[in-house]
Amino acid sequence: MIPAIAPIGHVRGGRAAPVDDAWDGVEAEIVLDPAMLGAEATLGLDAFSHVTVVFVFDRIDPAGVERGARHPRGRRDWPRVGILAQRGSPRPNRLGVTTCRLLGVAGMVLRVRGLDAVDGTPVLDVKPHMTGFDPRGEVREPAWAREIMRGYW
């Protein structure tokens, strides 16, 4: 059985609207909900330089969710690929996952940079980035995927 999932916090600050590129300089806070987490939930998190944040693309209209294939960012010069072969936001469960820099921890508030989520975005989970979870072996990706990321961060 799939458990009910509720946000553990929300993004505060950063951008008010989603824009595709130049996220690396964007600073924001993740304000954790004390109704969902105890006061010690962040204990030791400040020992990590980066966190992986799982969030909801809550501004995506469910009617606009892609369940098949499309051209990333609507660009016809890039190949039509399935939604599971790209990182676009109109995904079936509208989940985003990003590893970003952790600038600081102050109780139930995390300061981050490079989180590609906008002000008010529901946050489902935060995990410390551990290099042991990085990909093992050679990483392969198509040329269009490298191109799409050129100005993203």
Side-chain angles (χ1 to χ4, degrees), residues 66-103:
E66 179 61 60
R67 297 180 188 282
R70 68 178 192 147
H71 293 276
R73 293 192 182 178
R75 287 190 44 179
R76 300 271 179 201
D77 58 324
W78 289 338
R80 187 171 172 269
V81 294
I83 192 64
L84 299 183
Q86 55 186 287
R87 304 253 329 195
S89 58
R91 317 182 68 69
N93 284 320
R94 298 182 294 156
L95 295 179
V97 179
T98 299
T99 299
C100 57
R101 180 165 295 280
L102 179 63
L103 301 175

Side-chain angles (χ1 to χ4, degrees), residues 37-124:
L37 296 164
E40 292 188 328
T42 62
L43 186 64
L45 189 60
D46 60 349
F48 293 88
S49 63
H50 291 77
V51 290
T52 299
V53 181
V54 180
F55 56 93
V56 179
F57 290 114
D58 63 320
R59 289 166 180 84
I60 298 295
D61 182 346
V65 166
E66 179 61 60
R67 297 180 188 282
R70 68 178 192 147
H71 293 276
R73 293 192 182 178
R75 287 190 44 179
R76 300 271 179 201
D77 58 324
W78 289 338
R80 187 171 172 269
V81 294
I83 192 64
L84 299 183
Q86 55 186 287
R87 304 253 329 195
S89 58
R91 317 182 68 69
N93 284 320
R94 298 182 294 156
L95 295 179
V97 179
T98 299
T99 299
C100 57
R101 180 165 295 280
L102 179 63
L103 301 175
V105 178
M108 299 292 275
V109 178
L110 312 179
R111 285 187 323 105
V112 297
R113 182 172 51 233
L115 176 60
D116 53 348
V118 298
D119 184 47
T121 296
V123 173
L124 299 178

